[in-house]
Amino acid sequence: MSTSESKRIVVWGTGYVGKMVIAEVVKHPGFELVGVGVSNPAKVGKDVGEICGLDPVGLAASDDLDALVALRPDALVHYGPTAQYADENIRVMSAFLRAGVDVCSTAMTPWVWPGMKQNPANWIDPITEACESGNASCFTTGIDPGFANDLFPLTLMGLCGEVRSVRASELLDYTSYEGDYEDEMGIGRSPDFTPLLEIPDLLIMAWGATVPMIASAAGIELDDITTTWEKWVTPTERKTAKGVINPGEVAAIRFTINGIFQGRTVVQLEHVNRIGLDAAPDWPAGSQDDVYRVDIEGSPSISQETAFRFTDGSGRDAAAAGCLATGMRALNAVPAVNALPSGWVTALDLPLIPGVGTMR
């Protein structure tokens, strides 16, 4: 542990999220950036400031995993790739955990709830063993799955005497989104194309971890988890950041992941992702554009919408704001994760994290 009040951290990953977080870290009094790990050979040896569009920070990016572990930081804050690259994520995180360094990550979102039965053993066992070996802790978060459908609904449920159902929704326009939505979600594909996430088991594993988490937090065990999937085909051409979606192709999708208890849906995750705000006009939308929404039917019933925005004149969109919030959730959790016993950490283990040092 650091002897100063600030936490010494290594950041792994200088992609979209990592760059934004590093820009916050270098001016944050609560954290000292002592190392940055990258997997792209073209970035190795470059000043981290140059990589992130900042002034030089006097720290070179490295792909030397052993050297970064040897820095003995208080935590690795890991912004690696998705679970599609599970082996590489496990390799990096395990090395730090075995050395006694706690890990806070946004990469392996099925680990938001490690006990989810869809998590394969070869994803879980190496981290469990590394935590035990190094007496370290591993926390994974995201926005969805993540705090938009664990922290938000669970906090609001604590205001109720009875909760008959809780739904957490992502209601986003993907026009400016540059991630892989063609193969994963079928957006921009023919309606007869079956995207990966339309397969129920894959959808539950990739996006559904917070459904059994919420049930567990409420003291029940679900009888089943089901899914639904709908597609909306555009009659007109739609321009996106990735190109053009032609008439007759999918321009909006809506899916749900449903936690069933005693014959009824008690926990539901819902996604409505559109290309253009006018797409799928009959499907749910927020009172603002691009929001995360929680609806609780109970005593009392509660509705909450959360919008992420930049108001600094940078022109960055709502998706970028949500990505920064995701990264900062992992970073700001470091002191709390350091204070917990070793092993897996979930949102249910963390105290309130108000963001010490953010007001300055």
Side-chain angles (χ1 to χ4, degrees):
M1 299 291 291
S2 173
T3 56
S4 66
E5 293 184 3
S6 64
K7 294 292 186 178
R8 300 174 67 253
I9 64 163
V10 167
V11 169
W12 187 279
T14 57
Y16 194 66
V17 174
K19 287 180 180 179
M20 286 195 291
V21 172
I22 287 171
E24 299 294 329
V25 170
V26 296
K27 59 186 179 183
H28 198 298
F31 301 100
E32 178 188 355
L33 186 65
V34 298
V36 173
V38 294
S39 55
N40 183 348
K43 295 181 179 180
V44 174
K46 286 189 175 181
D47 188 277
V48 171
E50 177 187 352
I51 294 172
C52 298
L54 309 171
D55 292 334
V57 300
L59 189 65
S62 174
D63 63 353
D64 188 334
L65 183 57
D66 291 338
L68 291 167
V69 171
L71 293 171
R72 302 295 300 173
D74 292 306
L76 169 70
V77 188
H78 180 268
Y79 302 114
T82 67
Q84 181 180 353
Y85 301 92
D87 289 346
E88 175 63 8
N89 288 331
I90 291 169
R91 180 185 77 88
V92 171
M93 287 188 265
S94 293
F96 282 89
L97 292 167
R98 284 195 300 269
V101 178
D102 294 337
V103 173
C104 295
S105 178
T106 61
M108 300 286 291
T109 49
W111 292 354
V112 166
W113 190 240
M116 180 176 62
K117 66 180 182 181
Q118 285 80 7
N119 271 310
N122 64 332
W123 284 11
I124 298 299
D125 292 348
I127 297 298
T128 300
E129 292 163 5
C131 288
E132 291 174 352
S133 175
N135 194 31
S137 299
C138 184
F139 170 60
T140 296
T141 187
I143 189 168
D144 184 349
F147 65 81
N149 46 40
D150 58 44
L151 176 65
F152 289 177
L154 288 169
T155 301
L156 295 173
M157 287 168 64
L159 307 178
C160 298
E162 178 185 6
V163 173
R164 292 182 287 277
S165 67
V166 56
R167 180 174 67 248
S169 303
E170 177 183 280
L171 308 170
L172 299 184
D173 180 1
Y174 270 23
T175 299
S176 62
Y177 183 65
E178 297 185 17
D180 176 17
Y181 53 56
E182 295 91 348
D183 292 337
E184 290 188 0
M185 305 174 105
I187 295 174
R189 300 289 195 192
S190 167
D192 58 4
F193 174 80
T194 301
L196 291 173
L197 292 178
E198 191 176 348
I199 302 169
D201 285 346
L202 288 180
L203 180 60
I204 293 168
M205 182 180 74
W207 295 83
T210 54
V211 172
M213 178 199 286
I214 290 173
S216 178
I220 64 169
E221 184 174 345
L222 296 173
D223 301 318
D224 197 9
I225 299 177
T226 65
T227 68
T228 66
W229 191 279
E230 299 176 70
K231 307 173 184 181
W232 184 85
V233 173
T234 181
T236 59
E237 180 179 282
R238 292 174 182 265
K239 294 182 179 179
T240 78
K242 301 181 69 176
V244 173
I245 295 179
N246 298 306
E249 295 177 337
V250 174
I253 59 101
R254 180 187 185 186
F255 67 76
T256 64
I257 304 173
N258 314 292
I260 309 300
F261 178 67
Q262 297 182 348
R264 59 193 177 91
T265 297
V266 295
V267 182
Q268 184 178 75
L269 304 187
E270 176 186 50
H271 271 233
V272 178
N273 300 121
R274 299 174 162 92
I275 303 295
L277 296 173
D278 62 330
D282 296 332
W283 291 357
S287 61
Q288 304 180 62
D289 301 337
D290 297 312
V291 299
Y292 291 84
R293 182 178 174 90
V294 176
D295 290 288
I296 293 175
E297 181 186 344
S299 178
S301 294
I302 303 173
S303 295
Q304 177 201 65
E305 283 188 2
T306 304
F308 298 93
R309 303 288 190 265
F310 281 106
T311 57
D312 57 2
S314 64
R316 292 176 290 180
D317 63 10
C323 286
L324 177 58
T326 302
M328 293 307 300
R329 169 71 168 164
L331 177 70
N332 286 326
V334 166
V337 172
N338 282 167
L340 288 171
S342 63
W344 289 99
V345 174
T346 75
L348 301 186
D349 302 307
L350 294 175
L352 177 67
I353 299 172
V356 174
T358 55
M359 290 186 176
R360 51 186 187 269

